[in-house]
């Protein structure tokens, strides 16, 4: 009897049943974690689009106010201004690209549409992949929505060359 116990203890490795139990536990954990992680990733992409939209809005408002203070004129899409950053006179689009570098990632599907009315930035819509985030002067940051979804409070979508916010078509820079 003692020899049999010693022989069992000397045997190294796992039994087939032990391996199957471990694999089943790992499978259950993976089934629980994978959907949770995909939700976290989507949430992070939404927050990234919202944050970049706010950065673009801030840079656009800075440019517009700088144009007004230096020239006394309201800015439009073709106005150039020296922003005292060592880059000489530049348009709003160029200034924003230098201030918010994440817009120009190579091979990206990112873009911003900015609406200026009477020299004031009234709307920014930023598209990053499948997500669009919007800011308006009346509603603030409206949040990001995935393509095909709509926000409960505001409806907006971005397309190449034009933006539609609450049904009003506007031109982009």
């Amino acid at each position: 009897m003692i020899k049999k116990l010693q022989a069992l203890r000397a045997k190294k490795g796992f039994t087939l049943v032990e391996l199957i139990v471990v694999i089943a536990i790992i499978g259950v954990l993976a089934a629980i974690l994978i959907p949770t992680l995909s939700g976290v990733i989507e949430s992070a992409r939404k927050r990234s689009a919202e944050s970049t939209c706010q950065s673009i809005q801030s840079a656009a408002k800075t440019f517009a106010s700088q144009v007004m203070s230096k020239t006394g004129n309201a800015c439009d899409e073709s106005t150039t201004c020296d922003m005292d950053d060592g880059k000489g006179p530049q348009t709003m689009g160029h200034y924003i690209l230098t201030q918010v570098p994440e817009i120009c990632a190579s091979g990206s599907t990112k873009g911003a549409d900015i609406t200026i009315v009477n020299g004031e930035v009234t709307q920014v819509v930023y598209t990053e992949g499948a997500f669009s985030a919007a800011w308006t002067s009346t509603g603030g940051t409206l949040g990001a929505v995935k393509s095909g979804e709509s926000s409960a409070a505001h409806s907006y979508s971005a397309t190449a060359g034009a933006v539609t916010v609450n049904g009003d078509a506007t031109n982009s820079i």
Side-chain angles (χ1 to χ4, degrees):
M1 178 77 156
I2 293 176
K3 287 184 181 182
K4 286 185 179 181
L5 287 174
Q6 288 175 345
L8 284 175
R9 286 187 187 155
K11 192 177 182 183
K12 304 230 188 232
F14 298 103
T15 66
L16 183 59
V17 172
E18 290 170 331
L19 288 174
I20 291 174
V21 168
V22 169
I23 290 171
I25 291 171
I26 290 172
V28 168
L29 290 175
I32 293 170
L33 291 176
I34 289 173
T36 303
L37 290 177
S38 66
V40 169
I41 291 169
E42 185 169 311
S43 175
R45 287 185 178 147
K46 281 183 180 182
R47 283 193 301 269
S48 173
E50 290 170 1
S51 174
T52 304
C53 183
Q54 288 176 342
S55 297
I56 293 167
Q57 172 263 334
S58 177
K61 286 177 81 173
T62 299
F63 186 89
S65 70
Q66 190 80 322
V67 167
M68 183 59 84
S69 70
K70 286 187 172 196
T71 66
N73 298 322
C75 84
D76 61 23
E77 55 202 47
S78 62
T79 303
T80 59
C81 182
D82 188 352
M83 297 299 289
D84 300 325
D85 59 0
K87 295 186 171 96
Q90 51 195 326
T91 63
M92 180 185 283
H94 184 266
Y95 176 71
I96 289 172
L97 289 175
T98 61
Q99 296 300 308
V100 189
E102 54 263 32
I103 296 175
C104 13
S106 63
S108 69
T109 55
K110 300 177 181 183
D113 295 309
I114 301 165
T115 304
I116 301 169
V117 176
N118 298 326
E120 295 291 321
V121 177
T122 59
Q123 164 187 308
V124 175
V125 176
Y126 172 69
T127 303
E128 182 174 325
F131 294 95
S132 293
W135 172 90
T136 65
S137 57
T138 57
T141 301
L142 305 178
V145 294
K146 195 170 186 177
S147 296
E149 298 176 0
S150 67
S151 170
H154 300 277
S155 145
Y156 59 91
S157 62
T159 58
V163 179
T164 304
V165 175
N166 293 337
D168 298 326
T170 59
N171 292 323
S172 62
I173 293 178

